[in-house]
Amino acid sequence: MLEQTIYRLDLWQECKWQRHTRFYTLRLCQNVFGEWVITKTWGSAVKKGFGKSQDLDFSDYQAALDNYQKLQQRREKRGYTRFDGKSRYCLIPAQTIFPQPPSRENRLSPGQLSLF
């Protein structure tokens, strides 16, 4: 007879960090068998490709939680800042300064040629 898996959704956790254009995500949850898993995901927000991911399996919740907290501390020691996760697509810090397009006065009109 199959044993029914009990999911403890109230214990699941997720944290996101960023440093410059790098991102790092930790997720503590249960797999389809009810075992506790930490999923680490990391990469660049500006390069092609998503990045890398790794699953760490644990026998019980307490062991997984202890490891999850150690991984959180490691991110903070390495200079990552916690990301609130409200926007899925913007990982670039708000204080980043982007080049401004030329003002209307400095633009070339169609047909003009700039030598500089």
Side-chain angles (χ1 to χ4, degrees), residues 37 41 77 101 107 111:
V37 177
T41 308
K77 284 181 182 177
R107 289 188 197 157

Side-chain angles (χ1 to χ4, degrees), residues 16 39 62 92:
K16 297 178 183 182
T39 302
Q62 192 58 49
I92 300 172

Side-chain angles (χ1 to χ4, degrees), residues 32 70 79 87-88 103:
V32 295
K70 287 178 186 175
S87 170
R88 293 181 61 169
S103 64

Side-chain angles (χ1 to χ4, degrees), residues 11-106:
L11 298 177
W12 291 21
Q13 298 183 35
E14 182 179 48
C15 287
K16 297 178 183 182
W17 290 272
Q18 65 181 23
R19 185 178 70 188
H20 307 295
T21 59
R22 305 288 303 165
F23 70 88
Y24 191 89
T25 303
L26 279 178
R27 184 174 294 125
L28 172 62
C29 60
Q30 291 169 282
N31 63 14
V32 295
F33 304 109
E35 301 165 337
W36 290 97
V37 177
I38 294 176
T39 302
K40 302 189 307 182
T41 308
W42 65 93
S44 171
V46 294
K47 291 185 180 177
K48 288 185 178 180
F50 179 69
K52 295 186 179 183
S53 181
Q54 179 184 22
D55 289 337
L56 306 172
D57 300 320
F58 295 91
S59 58
D60 60 53
Y61 173 73
Q62 192 58 49
L65 182 62
D66 292 343
N67 197 292
Y68 184 81
Q69 291 170 344
K70 287 178 186 175
L71 291 169
Q72 285 181 321
Q73 291 171 356
R74 184 181 299 165
R75 286 302 112 204
E76 291 167 7
K77 284 181 182 177
R78 292 188 177 176
Y80 283 76
T81 55
R82 197 112 179 228
F83 178 65
D84 65 5
K86 292 179 183 175
S87 170
R88 293 181 61 169
Y89 304 106
C90 184
L91 292 175
I92 300 172
Q95 67 269 18
T96 303
I97 300 171
F98 292 99
Q100 296 296 318
S103 64
R104 179 166 249 159
E105 301 84 43
N106 295 338

